[in-house]
Amino acid sequence: MKSFLTISFTIYNMMKAILFASLWMMISGTADAQELRSPDGNFVMSFSLQGDGTPVYHLTYKNKVVIKPSKLGLELKAEAPKVAEVAEGDMKQKAVNPRASLYNNFEVVDTKTSTFDETWSPVWGEVKTIRNHYNELAVTLNQKGINRQMIIRFRLFDDGLGFRYEFPEQKNLTYFVIKEERTQFAMAGDHTAYWIAGDYDTQEYDYTTSKLSEIRGLSAKSVSENVSQTSFSPTGVQTALMMKTNDGLYINLHEAALINYACMHLNLDDKNLVFESWLTPDALGDKGYMQAPCSSPWRTIMVSDDARNILASKMTYNLNEPSKIKETSWIKPVKYIGVWWEMITGKSSWSYTNEYPSVQLGITDYTKAKPNGTHGATTANVKKYIDFAALHGFDAVLVEGWNIGWEDWFGNSKDYVFDFVTPYPDFNVQELRDYAKSKGVRIMMHHETSGSTRNYERHMDAAYKFMNDNGYNAVKSGYVGPILPRGENHYSQWTINHYQYAIEKAAKYRVMVNAHEAVRPTGIARTYPNLIGNESARGTEYQAFGGSKPNHVTILPFTRLIGGPMDYTPGIFEMDISKLNPQNTSHVNSTLANQLALYVTMYSPLQMAADVPEHYNRFLDAFQFIKDVAIDWDDSKYIEAEPGQYITVARKAKGTGNWFLGNVNGEIARTSTIAFDFLDAGKNYIATIYADAKDAHYKTKPQAYTIKKVIITNKSKLSQLSVPGGGYAISIMETTNPADLKGLKMLK
């Protein structure tokens, strides 16, 4: 009976695909139809023009419809009448055809197909090498009567489709303004989606899980308060958007190579279940100023019937250009601690004094101010962190609040807010530089901009030179609050260009960048690997601002991390925030074992042990995993994955035979069952398992954990409990010394 049902279901899907193919033929005709297949043949993408010359595509995977026939194109801002100067010197109005449509009246004038296959090595990453293999179709379209050309370039990989718009150099389309991009993604059903509300200024929301048809009713409730936020539609969502179909397909929509263009959101027509691109506007409401030759970012659709393949995909990176930084030896993964969590929780302050409600840089005299006694970035306090970092083998110490200006930094729309080089009186730059160097530790720079991007650009060269002069090789930048110039958004084209400018300028000074509150990444780190981290999502800090959902970290790798690593700042060991600040009653919705697992499941070459040293000193046995875990990898194996429920990942430390494994769990307890068949045959390994205790729970007993050591081989298997909001972490150390195995049991 089971075989019969399987065959029937397969026939049903094939008939469904044939039906859509027939509809496709009726809708688009055959004259200009083009078909592209993935290298493995599982994907088929069809392109054609409708009767009115509108470009349309549709996509299937293993004979299942992923994207129903969907329109492509852009709407331009109508041109205003131009003033032309005539020979006599008089001025007269010259009428100009608005020609706002770049979405219909096209004809196909050329098509080119090609195949590409290469293997490249990232500067840092989850794997040692990445294969970039795709089949390509480039369709050149000409707009009849207006004679404007646009190329739509499709690349079909074994893990999904990428496509973009290209505008070659031409007479009739040189400078133009985008009113809206009209790219559609027509869904084949009312899928389950893992989404955050569309917003021009923040991605720092908890995820909502619902059917597509339920987004409108849940949107308002999904939006929590943020210091800078601009919603645009009750059915607007952000990318990367993760979905699951009723018949077991996992679909991810995102973009790649976001350069000189506005960030794309998606707006859902919930009657027809069609997403359409929705770009972030600038202060004038425009969505892009373009000059041909130019191109849009890639629009990406990743699909699989196995959720693990979505996590393992490198398609986003493959759609970006190779590194433009030729000499990369100075770019290195960093494990760090910081003077940060004590401020986030409210125990300490960024500001030096409470006496100055208004600060004017260069005029305000801090030597006459009374210290507030809560300032975190003091020379004495930073030395304690440096000592702790040196004792436990950390690379760096982040110090926030070291520079003048924090007394009125936020909420005042202040342009000249920081100069990025002048320390507070109680922070001795030279003394700390020399002290850190003597301990083999670096200090990590902090550049909060308060959203004042112009001010940052004015001071950027001086700020990076200051870093070079004082031994800083990495900076955490921040963009808290509304963007200046006023009216710009965090994700508009102008601000996107600022973020890119900061990355490229930093590269000239050999500075690594970790940008917070910036746009979510789109694989740019392949081209500029000095971008070693971003926040750009709801990070650990929100656990001190009232908490995040316990399954949050089982969704982020399917969404935010698709475009690049996140500086999630894990490693919190004290979940009761009132222990640090009695006025803060927040609770970290995670077990301690879950916090350990995040160093593996939330990939980043930049990993912070975010808690304060005194909390780690209480749990040094568990802290050992954070000390041991690698941050750069030769290989990664996704063992278990289901968005919103659980993720289990194993990674091989670069240049070694050692592996580290992490499992994070959602809100329902489950037993994780894994095999260690990824290990080398014939070798013994010592596995140290850091796990939830049987009575652990993220809310009631988050610090209940167990640690045990066993011998494992590639034939061993493990069944391990993960409690609500819990997980486990395993260090797997290769050994050839029989003495190391003495007294340990073999895990069968």
Side-chain angles (χ1 to χ4, degrees):
M1 184 66 178
K2 185 176 180 181
S3 300
F4 172 76
L5 289 173
T6 302
I7 294 169
S8 299
F9 189 68
T10 302
I11 293 172
Y12 167 78
N13 280 319
M14 292 178 67
M15 292 180 67
K16 187 176 178 183
I18 292 169
L19 174 62
F20 273 109
S22 300
L23 285 171
W24 172 260
M25 300 291 281
M26 288 188 289
I27 292 171
S28 63
T30 59
D32 297 314
Q34 304 290 325
E35 187 176 275
L36 183 67
R37 292 179 178 270
S38 60
D40 64 5
N42 286 331
F43 285 95
V44 179
M45 191 283 300
S46 300
F47 171 86
S48 192
L49 296 178
Q50 290 184 338
D52 65 351
T54 298
V56 184
Y57 77 105
H58 104 294
L59 182 69
T60 63
Y61 173 74
K62 294 183 178 179
N63 296 316
K64 293 182 179 180
V65 176
V66 176
I67 303 292
K68 298 195 297 182
S70 299
K71 298 177 182 179
L72 298 168
L74 298 95
E75 181 180 355
L76 305 186
K77 188 175 182 180
E79 297 177 22
K82 294 180 179 179
V83 177
E85 185 174 355
V86 296
E88 293 81 2
D90 297 330
M91 305 297 289
K92 65 179 182 179
Q93 294 287 72
K94 181 181 179 182
V96 177
N97 185 338
R99 301 186 300 178
S101 166
L102 261 182
Y103 52 82
N104 61 9
N105 202 32
F106 283 110
E107 59 184 350
V108 175
V109 296
D110 188 34
T111 61
K112 288 186 173 65
T113 58
S114 60
T115 296
F116 187 81
D117 193 358
E118 70 166 358
T119 299
W120 58 280
S121 299
V123 175
W124 43 259
E126 297 179 84
V127 291
K128 189 174 184 179
T129 59
I130 294 174
R131 188 181 184 189
N132 185 13
H133 187 200
Y134 59 82
N135 292 331
E136 180 175 283
L137 168 67
V139 182
T140 301
L141 303 171
N142 185 70
Q143 210 165 23
K144 292 180 287 187
I146 303 177
N147 197 30
R148 299 187 300 192
Q149 290 199 343
M150 177 175 73
I151 300 169
I152 306 179
R153 189 176 303 275
F154 299 93
R155 290 181 180 174
L156 199 49
F157 301 78
D158 288 343
D159 38 0
L161 174 68
F163 61 89
R164 72 179 182 186
Y165 305 100
E166 298 177 3
F167 309 97
E169 187 172 352
Q170 56 192 292
K171 180 180 179 181
N172 293 329
L173 188 66
T174 304
Y175 293 92
F176 56 99
V177 180
I178 297 173
K179 183 177 180 180
E180 189 57 84
E181 183 183 317
R182 297 299 184 190
T183 302
Q184 291 186 346
F185 306 87
M187 298 293 102
D190 191 9
H191 306 327
T192 298
Y194 307 83
W195 56 275
I196 55 175
D199 198 292
Y200 298 150
D201 285 294
T202 187
Q203 294 122 2
E204 296 177 349
Y205 295 132
D206 256 321
Y207 282 86
T208 299
T209 302
S210 76
K211 293 293 186 180
L212 295 177
S213 59
E214 297 170 334
I215 290 176
R216 181 183 297 273
L218 296 172
S219 183
K221 183 180 177 182
S222 76
V223 176
S224 54
E225 186 176 354
N226 195 280
V227 295
S228 180
Q229 55 193 149
T230 311
S231 299
F232 62 85
S233 166
T235 58
V237 297
Q238 301 195 47
T239 70
L241 174 67
M242 187 69 197
M243 292 173 285
K244 184 179 181 181
T245 70
N246 288 335
D247 56 355
L249 286 188
Y250 298 88
I251 304 172
N252 187 284
L253 304 181
H254 193 33
E255 62 180 330
L258 175 57
I259 298 285
N260 193 23
Y261 204 85
C263 171
M264 181 185 73
H265 306 281
L266 299 172
N267 198 40
L268 178 66
D269 170 357
D270 50 359
K271 291 183 179 179
N272 297 300
L273 300 180
V274 177
F275 283 109
E276 188 165 284
S277 56
W278 184 289
L279 304 182
T280 305
D282 64 12
L284 299 177
D286 298 327
K287 299 199 171 185
Y289 288 78
M290 310 296 286
Q291 178 184 354
C294 58
S295 64
S296 75
W298 297 91
R299 279 61 189 98
T300 63
I301 308 166
M302 292 192 293
V303 188
S304 181
D305 49 15
D306 187 335
R308 297 175 299 176
N309 293 335
I310 302 294
L311 297 177
S313 174
K314 298 296 179 286
M315 192 177 85
T316 308
Y317 284 111
N318 281 331
L319 287 167
N320 279 265
E321 295 297 318
S323 177
K324 292 189 177 182
I325 303 174
K326 301 306 179 185
E327 205 289 294
T328 59
S329 63
W330 53 276
I331 302 172
K332 298 180 183 299
V334 179
K335 191 186 294 186
Y336 72 107
I337 62 172
V339 184
W340 177 74
W341 189 241
E342 60 183 81
M343 279 95 86
I344 291 294
T345 58
K347 175 180 182 288
S348 302
S349 66
W350 285 271
S351 61
Y352 171 76
T353 181
N354 298 333
E355 290 190 333
Y356 295 158
S358 172
V359 170
Q360 292 180 288
L361 301 186
I363 298 174
T364 300
D365 188 352
Y366 279 97
T367 65
K368 296 179 180 178
K370 178 183 177 182
N372 57 24
T374 60
H375 185 219
T378 68
T379 299
N381 194 35
V382 173
K383 282 186 175 181
K384 292 178 184 178
Y385 279 83
I386 292 171
D387 290 342
F388 186 84
L391 177 64
H392 295 288
F394 286 84
D395 302 307
V397 175
L398 168 70
V399 184
E400 296 195 6
W402 68 276
N403 55 317
I404 62 172
W406 286 91
E407 285 71 21
D408 65 346
W409 74 283
F410 175 74
N412 298 306
S413 192
K414 184 178 180 181
D415 184 48
Y416 187 24
V417 58
F418 296 115
D419 69 7
F420 311 101
V421 297
T422 306
Y424 278 124
D426 58 352
F427 185 87
N428 190 314
V429 172
Q430 290 75 24
E431 182 180 342
L432 286 169
R433 173 195 65 198
D434 296 342
Y435 188 78
K437 185 176 181 180
S438 72
K439 298 281 187 173
V441 174
R442 286 185 181 268
I443 301 179
M444 185 180 292
M445 177 54 73
H446 182 232
H447 288 166
E448 176 55 58
T449 69
S450 190
S452 184
T453 53
R454 291 186 305 182
N455 180 61
Y456 192 28
E457 290 184 10
R458 286 195 295 266
H459 291 85
M460 201 172 283
D461 280 292
Y464 288 153
K465 185 177 185 302
F466 178 89
M467 291 179 60
N468 286 171
D469 292 343
N470 290 284
Y472 297 83
N473 67 344
V475 60
K476 173 185 175 181
S477 57
Y479 295 88
V480 175
I483 292 293
L484 274 72
R486 298 174 185 91
E488 286 294 339
N489 296 300
H490 278 76
Y491 311 139
S492 61
Q493 181 188 31
W494 193 94
T495 316
I496 297 299
N497 289 346
H498 163 80
Y499 302 140
Q500 189 63 31
Y501 177 80
I503 296 166
E504 295 183 27
K505 177 71 73 172
K508 294 179 181 179
Y509 287 88
R510 294 195 164 199
V511 166
M512 298 181 288
V513 176
N514 168 28
H516 283 227
E517 294 87 34
V519 71
R520 78 283 190 274
T522 57
I524 299 296
R526 180 187 180 187
T527 312
Y528 291 95
N530 65 317
L531 179 62
I532 59 169
N534 282 103
E535 182 189 37
S536 308
R538 189 181 182 93
T540 297
E541 63 187 3
Y542 277 86
Q543 297 283 19
F545 302 158
S548 296
K549 293 179 181 179
N551 74 336
H552 186 56
V553 294
T554 66
I555 298 176
L556 282 173
F558 287 101
T559 53
R560 162 60 185 77
L561 271 68
I562 291 296
M566 179 177 177
D567 183 30
Y568 186 71
T569 62
I572 305 303
F573 279 14
E574 178 51 71
M575 313 308 169
D576 182 355
I577 302 302
S578 68
K579 297 287 181 64
L580 272 178
N581 175 13
Q583 305 304 313
N584 188 338
T585 59
S586 299
H587 181 87
V588 179
N589 294 322
S590 162
T591 67
L592 192 149
N594 176 287
Q595 289 291 308
L596 297 181
L598 293 172
Y599 290 92
V600 185
T601 62
M602 295 283 290
Y603 167 69
S604 177
L606 183 74
Q607 290 284 16
M608 184 183 194
D611 213 334
V612 295
E614 51 264 38
H615 290 166
Y616 291 133
N617 286 332
R618 288 168 49 201
F619 303 99
L620 287 175
D621 55 352
F623 186 58
Q624 188 63 44
F625 181 83
I626 298 178
K627 293 170 61 174
D628 291 341
V629 68
I631 52 175
D632 201 14
W633 311 99
D634 276 341
D635 200 5
S636 294
K637 303 292 185 183
Y638 286 90
I639 300 171
E640 300 177 302
E642 185 64 30
Q645 297 183 35
Y646 54 84
I647 296 173
T648 306
V649 191
R651 305 190 193 275
K652 186 179 183 183
K654 185 169 287 294
T656 76
N658 301 329
W659 289 75
F660 294 86
L661 187 148
N663 162 275
V664 289
N665 192 41
E667 299 185 55
I668 301 173
R670 68 181 291 269
T671 297
S672 169
T673 302
I674 61 171
F676 293 95
D677 52 4
F678 52 85
L679 298 176
D680 291 344
K683 292 183 178 180
N684 289 321
Y685 298 82
I686 297 176
T688 306
I689 305 171
Y690 303 79
D692 295 320
K694 290 183 179 180
D695 59 346
H697 190 282
Y698 76 89
K699 205 71 175 177
T700 57
K701 293 193 72 173
Q703 294 168 325
Y705 64 91
T706 63
I707 302 175
K708 67 177 181 179
K709 285 188 177 184
V710 294
I711 304 167
I712 63 171
T713 68
N714 72 320
K715 297 180 180 179
S716 299
K717 294 182 179 180
L718 173 70
S719 292
Q720 182 63 56
L721 171 69
S722 289
V723 304
Y728 60 91
I730 309 176
S731 61
I732 304 169
M733 305 298 188
E734 182 183 1
T735 181
T736 57
N737 185 358
D740 295 338
L741 309 179
K742 189 175 181 181
L744 298 179
K745 293 183 178 180
M746 174 71 74
L747 183 67
K748 301 295 186 182

